[in-house]
Amino acid sequence: MDMNAIEIEGISKSYGSVQALRDISLQVRCGEIFGLIGPDGAGKTTLFRIMTTLMLPDAGRGRVSGLDIVEDFALIRRTIGYMPGRFSLYQDLTVRENLEYFATLFGTTVRDNYENIKEIYSQIEPFGDRRAGKLSGGMKQKLALCCALVHRPSVLFLDEPTTGVDAVSRKDFWNMLARIKASGVTIFVSTPYMDEAALCDRLALIRDGVIIGAGTPREIVSGFPFRLLSVKGDRMYRLLKVLRDTDGVISCFSFGDSHHLTYDPAKTDREKILGILTEAGFGGCIVKEIEPGIEDCFMWLSKR
Amino acid sequence: MGRNTVEIAHLTKKFGDFTAVDNISFNVRDGEIFGFLGANGAGKTTAMRILCGLSRPTSGEGTVAGYDINTGQEKIKRHIGYMCQKFSLYPDLTVRENIRLFGGIYGLRDKEIRRKTDVMLDMLGMQTERDRLAGALPLGWKQKLAFSIAMIHDPGIIFLDEPTGGVDPETRRTFWEMIYDAAEKGTTVFVTTHYMDEAEYCDRVSVMVDGRIAALDTPDSLKAEYGAENMDEVFRIIVGRRPGL
């Protein structure tokens, strides 16, 4: 059966004169990891608050697990797990106390659901008597995830769980998500990190309250309308400036150890660009035709 | 030529019986972009607070911008720039008021502040925005303004603490172009980031693990040393070795 875990249609929300969300529609299928990807201030948290029934939309409708986000708010709250962006546990309760507290709130016990959280909880269990406020960032994140999972939610909402988290811990976290997904939970997760997009089954790119692209990572990448070159060489910043001034170059941005460049094939090509660079004193550059990534797509879609 | 803006030897900081920074030594050269990387909780913030004159080391010595980290903290504060993504501007002051406030804090004279305000607004193309509240500016402009204000007193070195966290891809790149421009004019840049593509933009990079500097070199040398494709891999190899959580 093809039921959607989340369906929202035409959601808008303003704060005074600031429009935080404009006409947002999306569907999340049961059992998938759906990513909401965009920078700070794009409206991600507002959308989370509306979907988790903590805020009413100005317009639009939505359902989570088949329940209406306005009419059935009390039922939705029992069936979802929510990990807000800010660490939201009680800092002066211990690890164990926090977990027991959240289990009790949902009318259950840690013991009844131990299997559900065991894999993550076992990593912080040795620190069960430590106050939550004294945990390291990685451990806080694991505890928050356990608290959001302790009542066996069918949909898990994670608002920027990896913001400010180092690259290694981010990888660990996504491995945990893959295992939670395998247990049948639908995951709706937001992130400002474009490199996490590839780990989602499907995703929506959001900017200034508008969804600028949606689909599987592959679908989004295949919609990129340009050929893309990667350029590597010495004196990268100078190289960037020269490339931007080159005839036929549409855009050029740095991407780690190389520059990504889109061009108009009617005006230039790889060989011409290589020639211009050699002439300008940038000998030995490596220019390669490459596939775009989500970040390339996001930058292009932002400009449209 | 060949001088160091930061020279640190055997720096240690303990909180009770916990050693946050464990005997680290390193130099940052004049005019270089130095990336200060590490896992969460590795001691980056603690070390950076000492370098900025906000905290005293338990032991060890060193200088920042020529002033002693043990005895010259007030001087250090006056001669460095500092910016982080979370807080850098007062949102309910206008653009001009923010410039004036920070100019005043750094002890510039009124006349100097007026002159600098004009130069800065021209350079940023923000003359027409000068009486807007800083909080109402688009993020990209806020970033540029915050960076320029952090440099209002012409510091020799600027400390940037995760300046691009959560910022959209294009603004992040524009911001790095400002960093390059500042470095080309001779300002030393000390920057932390969780974006490993940004580690590639640094002249040299250090990676902190459990209070120590586990690696320090140019991105190219680190990639060669660890047989890695990119800095993300280098980081994962170095940091992934740490025991426990």
Side-chain angles (χ1 to χ4, degrees):
Chain A
M1 246 301 285
D2 205 8
M3 204 192 76
N4 286 326
I6 302 171
E7 288 182 343
I8 63 171
E9 214 184 294
I11 296 272
S12 293
K13 178 78 189 178
S14 295
Y15 302 111
S17 62
V18 179
Q19 193 160 18
L21 294 174
R22 301 172 207 213
D23 196 20
I24 302 279
S25 300
L26 51 85
Q27 287 89 40
V28 177
R29 294 179 195 139
C30 281
E32 73 179 352
I33 299 183
F34 190 97
L36 183 66
I37 297 178
D40 287 356
K44 299 191 298 292
T45 297
T46 299
L47 187 55
F48 267 80
R49 291 195 177 141
I50 289 171
M51 291 193 302
T52 53
T53 78
L54 300 175
M55 188 185 264
L56 294 171
D58 295 340
R61 288 176 308 170
R63 302 181 88 76
V64 174
S65 297
L67 302 164
D68 188 276
I69 55 168
V70 178
E71 304 289 317
D72 306 320
F73 74 93
L75 288 173
I76 289 182
R77 289 180 189 184
R78 262 181 250 164
T79 58
I80 62 170
Y82 174 41
M83 184 172 151
R86 283 275 162 91
F87 183 63
S88 56
L89 304 180
Y90 292 90
Q91 311 262 1
D92 46 4
L93 293 186
T94 66
V95 167
R96 192 169 300 118
E97 285 167 345
N98 265 295
L99 192 58
E100 276 165 3
Y101 174 74
F102 280 91
T104 309
L105 273 187
F106 286 103
T108 183
T109 62
V110 174
R111 191 195 289 166
D112 284 346
N113 291 294
Y114 189 77
E115 278 304 307
N116 204 36
I117 55 168
K118 190 175 90 184
E119 183 163 353
I120 304 163
Y121 188 51
S122 62
Q123 298 175 47
I124 50 172
E125 219 172 356
F127 310 96
D129 292 327
R130 192 179 289 187
R131 288 184 186 199
K134 298 278 179 197
L135 294 174
S136 73
M139 287 200 280
K140 276 184 186 167
Q141 195 192 37
K142 283 174 182 142
L143 176 59
L145 195 55
C146 287
C147 290
L149 281 170
V150 72
H151 60 297
R152 295 176 186 263
S154 54
V155 184
L156 183 60
F157 288 92
L158 306 170
D159 192 7
E160 297 209 19
T162 56
T163 289
V165 173
D166 70 66
V168 171
S169 305
R170 288 205 282 133
K171 290 254 153 55
D172 290 347
F173 190 81
W174 277 90
N175 289 335
M176 277 191 295
L177 290 194
R179 290 194 291 268
I180 295 168
K181 176 197 159 176
S183 73
V185 179
T186 305
I187 299 173
F188 189 89
V189 56
S190 68
T191 178
Y193 294 102
M194 303 282 150
D195 59 350
E196 295 180 357
L199 304 167
C200 302
D201 296 309
R202 292 193 312 129
L203 48 102
L205 304 177
I206 185 168
R207 186 178 198 263
D208 295 335
V210 179
I211 289 185
I212 55 174
T216 64
R218 188 171 288 272
E219 281 164 359
I220 289 176
V221 164
S222 68
F224 193 71
F226 304 106
R227 307 262 299 265
L228 195 65
L229 293 177
S230 110
V231 184
K232 253 188 222 191
D234 294 332
R235 295 178 293 147
M236 289 296 276
Y237 187 43
R238 291 283 160 81
L239 184 60
L240 183 71
K241 290 185 163 172
V242 171
L243 287 168
R244 280 189 184 154
D245 284 337
T246 300
D247 198 35
V249 169
I250 298 167
S251 74
C252 186
F253 290 105
S254 39
F255 273 75
D257 64 350
S258 59
H259 297 319
H260 287 189
L261 172 156
T262 58
Y263 62 97
D264 179 354
K267 289 188 185 156
T268 192
D269 57 30
R270 184 184 164 275
E271 275 64 41
K272 267 192 199 163
I273 288 170
L274 205 49
I276 289 166
L277 289 180
T278 309
E279 213 164 287
F282 291 90
C285 283
I286 301 167
V287 183
K288 276 194 297 201
E289 192 88 43
I290 56 162
E291 292 288 318
I294 294 291
E295 195 154 358
D296 295 290
C297 296
F298 190 96
M299 290 169 78
W300 164 64
L301 290 164
S302 300
K303 288 213 154 144
R304 262 206 322 184
Chain B
M1 187 221 89
R3 289 198 24 231
N4 295 321
T5 311
V6 175
E7 289 190 346
I8 294 297
H10 308 297
L11 185 72
T12 296
K13 179 76 182 185
K14 291 185 181 173
F15 297 105
D17 50 12
F18 174 68
T19 305
V21 176
D22 189 3
N23 192 22
I24 64 172
S25 303
F26 67 99
N27 298 329
V28 179
R29 296 170 194 147
D30 267 1
E32 85 174 329
I33 301 176
F34 190 88
F36 197 58
L37 311 182
N40 297 120
K44 289 191 312 270
T45 303
T46 304
M48 196 146 155
R49 285 177 56 83
I50 295 171
L51 298 188
C52 292
L54 297 172
S55 160
R56 236 176 260 274
T58 307
S59 61
E61 47 218 54
T63 57
V64 173
Y67 301 102
D68 193 291
I69 55 167
N70 284 296
T71 58
Q73 295 184 311
E74 288 313 310
K75 286 197 169 125
I76 288 177
K77 284 187 219 167
R78 288 181 166 274
H79 289 88
I80 62 167
Y82 176 83
M83 173 192 166
C84 68
Q85 207 257 321
K86 293 278 170 262
F87 170 79
S88 283
L89 298 172
Y90 288 89
D92 46 5
L93 294 185
T94 65
V95 170
R96 257 201 310 191
E97 286 166 345
N98 266 290
I99 300 173
R100 180 164 164 59
L101 175 66
F102 283 96
I105 288 172
Y106 284 114
L108 303 186
R109 286 158 196 267
D110 283 354
K111 209 170 135 194
E112 182 71 357
I113 293 175
R114 276 199 296 275
R115 190 185 66 80
K116 290 224 172 193
T117 303
D118 249 6
V119 172
M120 196 185 293
L121 292 175
D122 278 341
M123 212 178 68
L124 295 170
M126 282 177 66
Q127 280 290 5
T128 51
E129 315 297 326
R130 62 190 183 193
D131 294 320
R132 254 177 104 179
L133 294 183
L137 295 175
L139 185 62
W141 286 8
K142 258 188 231 171
Q143 292 268 102
K144 287 183 189 178
L145 180 63
F147 185 81
S148 302
I149 287 180
M151 303 260 291
I152 194 167
H153 54 307
D154 301 316
I157 179 168
I158 183 164
F159 289 86
L160 304 171
D161 194 3
E162 286 182 43
T164 56
V167 169
D168 72 84
E170 189 164 347
T171 307
R172 200 153 73 78
R173 287 171 171 79
T174 319
F175 190 79
W176 268 92
E177 287 168 28
M178 287 189 81
I179 294 181
Y180 276 122
D181 283 334
E184 281 197 343
K185 286 178 195 140
T187 309
T188 307
V189 179
F190 188 97
V191 58
T192 72
T193 180
H194 285 309
Y195 290 98
M196 287 307 120
D197 58 339
E198 295 183 351
E200 309 268 2
Y201 308 152
C202 300
D203 294 315
R204 288 191 308 149
V205 162
S206 72
V207 183
M208 263 187 102
V209 179
D210 294 337
R212 294 165 183 264
I213 290 184
L216 195 171
D217 215 324
T218 64
D220 281 344
S221 304
L222 287 173
K223 281 184 271 183
E225 184 181 342
Y226 290 94
E229 281 272 300
N230 50 44
M231 283 305 292
D232 187 50
E233 236 178 83
V234 169
F235 187 81
R236 267 188 286 149
I237 294 168
I238 296 172
V239 174
R241 284 198 207 122
R242 84 206 137 133
L245 286 168

